[in-house]
Structures are given as structure tokens and as C-alpha cells.
Amino acid sequence: LLLTVKVEQMEVSERWMKEGHMSKILDVMTQPLLLMTEVQDERCSIGSGWSFNGGLPEVDGKVNKSFGGVERIRLMTLINDKGMAVIVYSCIVGQGLVAMLRVTEMDERSVHSSYYLVNQNTETIIGEAQALSRLPCTPCSTRGRTCDPSACENKASYDIERASRLELLSRMKYPTCNMQYYEKLMSGSWSSALGSSGTVRHQATCNRTGIAFQSALEAVVQREIAVVHPPRSSFRMVKSGKEEMDYSLGLEEQSVPSVSKETPPISDSISQRPPVCIESARVSKPFCP
């Protein structure tokens, strides 16, 4: 799944911006981000993400000169005892330092985010920040203003959106926050209150098909293969991997209308077919809380 975040308004204090390690993961999340599930069981899903610094390598068929490489992050998702999604992202932001972002679904229109800076060697939290994000109310949306969760008291109903997510969970043998659920939850216009540090308004778009998605997917596949194979032998493997992914995505799209409670949905973005997900021995071990 390709997550694209467009920041529409950002009013953040200098203190927050100076906290380079804390704001690093925010920078990662506001770049185009390709997310992929690698392992899924009855309790949670574990996967990876690739953040494209400066945008995708290719935009509208043209080379993006602002592209500054890809940064790998780790991802874990689950459904808690209240039937709400929990999403944890982590990435290395310095020597021995890991930034983590934990997003918890609160209700039909709100999520709570916790930012942590962790000493990887001692596994202790050395910095943290909290944020509340929500979808806009009608008055704020109509006037094009930030629906600040800390100031706006208007009510808004997103019961239909929540019902759609619950219906998706009901069709799973083991309810989990897969890429379909993630797409339903995270898509939309969000306003975030960073406490005394300021507010952010952004538009999040999720895609599992399309030119941008294919461009991101091919770039990541080629990058991961190049880690373990020299360039000349990579082309054939990229082509084979892409065909395998297209086949898996086709199966997923065909199976969505007919998924029953007895049959769990096909794995996200990449199916369970073993040749697709390529892991390198040189990739660092995932850091999970």
C-alpha cells in the first residue's frame, strides 16, 4: 500500500523543530511511504515501510531530481481488545537511537499518536510527545480551517466509516489491521494537535493500484534485490518479482467480494507466495516495543 501525505498547514513550535530526533519520524511519515505486510498471525502483522525522501524516483513519467533515496522503517499492526487498530512504526534516527510512532484508533474519527525516542542499547525511552488527530467537522471543513482537536468542540458523525471497518473485521478469521483496514482508517483529511508544540493539518491518500503505486513498488523491489545480487543479475529477478506481485494483487482483488468468515483474506499487497518477499541478511533486525 502506498501512503501519500500532503501537509496543508503546519504550525509547529521552534522547540519541536529543534528536537531533530523527535521530528525525524514525522519527516519520514510525510514522504511517500510504501507499506508491506511480511508476516501475519492471529495476533498481529509485522512488515516494512520504505520512505521516499524528496518524493518518488519518477513522477508523471519524468525523473524526479529531488529524489534523495529510500529509508527503511519497520511496521507492526494489531487490533486491541476494544476492537481498535494499533499501528507502530519505528526507524533508526541516529547512532543507537530509534524513533517510534504508536498510533491508536480511539473512535470513528480520532486517533491518538505517541512519539518516542528510544536508546536502542538500553531499550529505555529518553524522550516522548503526544498528539491527538481527528477527521474534521462540517463547519471547519466548509471553511477550510484546521479542526483543532484541542479547541473545536463541534460534533461530527463518521459512523458509516467505522461500520465499514467493523464489517471488514467481521469477515476475518483472526481480526487484524491489514492493509485494507489501514487504508480505510488512515485515508482522509486529518488535523493533529501536538499539545503546546502546535497543530498540523494533512491529507492522507492510500493507493494499492495505479502508476504511482507501481513506480514505488518496482523501486523497492529493485533496491532490495540489489542488496543481495549484483546489478546485472538483478533485472531478471525484478521482472520476475513484479510479475509475481501483479499475480498476487490480482488474486486479492478477485477474492475481496467472496471472502467469508471461514476464510481469512489474502495477505496484503504481497501474497503468501514465498518468492515475493525478499529479505537480506544485511537488513537490521526489526525493533518492536
Side-chain angles (χ1 to χ4, degrees):
L1 178 144
L2 179 64
L3 171 66
T4 304
V5 174
K6 179 182 179 182
V7 177
E8 299 175 338
Q9 182 177 350
M10 179 180 290
E11 298 176 357
V12 181
S13 67
E14 291 185 8
R15 176 179 173 275
W16 173 269
M17 297 305 295
K18 289 180 180 178
E19 291 287 343
H21 294 313
M22 294 295 288
S23 61
K24 174 67 174 179
I25 197 166
L26 185 62
D27 293 337
V28 170
M29 297 301 299
T30 53
Q31 302 292 334
L33 183 63
L34 183 70
L35 300 172
M36 183 182 301
T37 297
E38 297 174 18
V39 179
Q40 181 174 315
D41 61 19
E42 60 187 62
R43 294 185 57 193
C44 66
S45 297
I46 297 176
S48 294
W50 292 265
S51 177
F52 294 83
N53 297 323
L56 296 176
E58 184 177 303
V59 179
D60 297 329
K62 299 180 180 179
V63 175
N64 177 16
K65 295 182 179 180
S66 299
F67 175 62
V70 177
E71 186 164 352
R72 178 83 172 265
I73 71 170
R74 299 301 296 177
L75 171 73
M76 182 178 74
T77 67
L78 57 88
I79 298 294
N80 62 21
D81 295 338
K82 297 180 180 180
M84 301 292 186
V86 178
I87 306 166
V88 180
Y89 312 87
S90 66
C91 65
I92 297 174
V93 295
Q95 186 173 3
L97 295 176
V98 174
M100 298 181 60
L101 170 60
R102 178 188 175 99
V103 180
T104 304
E105 181 182 7
M106 303 299 292
D107 53 39
E108 70 273 9
R109 66 179 290 218
S110 305
V111 298
H112 180 268
S113 300
S114 300
Y115 300 82
Y116 300 105
L117 183 63
V118 180
N119 184 310
Q120 192 173 23
N121 298 320
T122 62
E123 297 186 359
T124 56
I125 297 174
I126 58 177
E128 62 179 289
Q130 309 293 322
L132 179 64
S133 305
R134 71 180 183 188
L135 296 170
C137 64
T138 301
C140 288
S141 179
T142 301
R143 297 173 186 176
R145 66 187 184 191
T146 300
C147 189
D148 187 346
S150 63
C152 180
E153 299 181 355
N154 294 325
K155 303 295 182 181
S157 175
Y158 285 86
D159 292 339
I160 295 177
E161 287 78 2
R162 174 60 181 161
S164 176
R165 298 197 292 271
L166 290 175
E167 192 275 333
L168 178 61
L169 291 179
S170 71
R171 294 191 275 121
M172 301 181 191
K173 184 177 181 180
Y174 301 113
T176 184
C177 178
N178 58 16
M179 290 295 104
Q180 288 175 285
Y181 192 99
Y182 184 103
E183 179 179 9
K184 289 177 177 291
L185 173 64
M186 301 306 293
S187 298
S189 180
W190 293 89
S191 296
S192 304
L194 304 174
S196 59
S197 298
T199 58
V200 177
R201 187 178 76 219
H202 70 271
Q203 179 74 33
T205 304
C206 297
N207 294 296
R208 292 190 292 149
T209 58
I211 297 176
F213 172 79
Q214 289 294 333
S215 175
L217 190 59
E218 290 176 12
V220 166
V221 171
Q222 187 168 9
R223 176 184 181 274
E224 293 301 302
I225 290 177
V227 172
V228 292
H229 290 275
R232 289 187 178 182
S233 64
S234 297
F235 177 78
R236 186 163 52 252
M237 293 193 68
V238 171
K239 183 175 183 296
S240 176
K242 181 179 182 301
E243 292 174 351
E244 188 76 18
M245 291 174 188
D246 289 341
Y247 173 78
S248 300
L249 289 170
L251 288 180
E252 180 179 340
E253 292 174 357
Q254 295 173 15
S255 67
V256 169
S258 60
V259 174
S260 65
K261 292 183 179 180
E262 291 74 21
T263 305
I266 292 176
S267 180
D268 307 291
S269 186
I270 302 298
S271 109
Q272 298 174 355
R273 299 171 65 88
V276 180
C277 194
I278 299 170
E279 285 288 302
S280 166
R282 292 166 56 185
V283 176
S284 60
K285 295 187 293 185
F287 180 86
C288 297

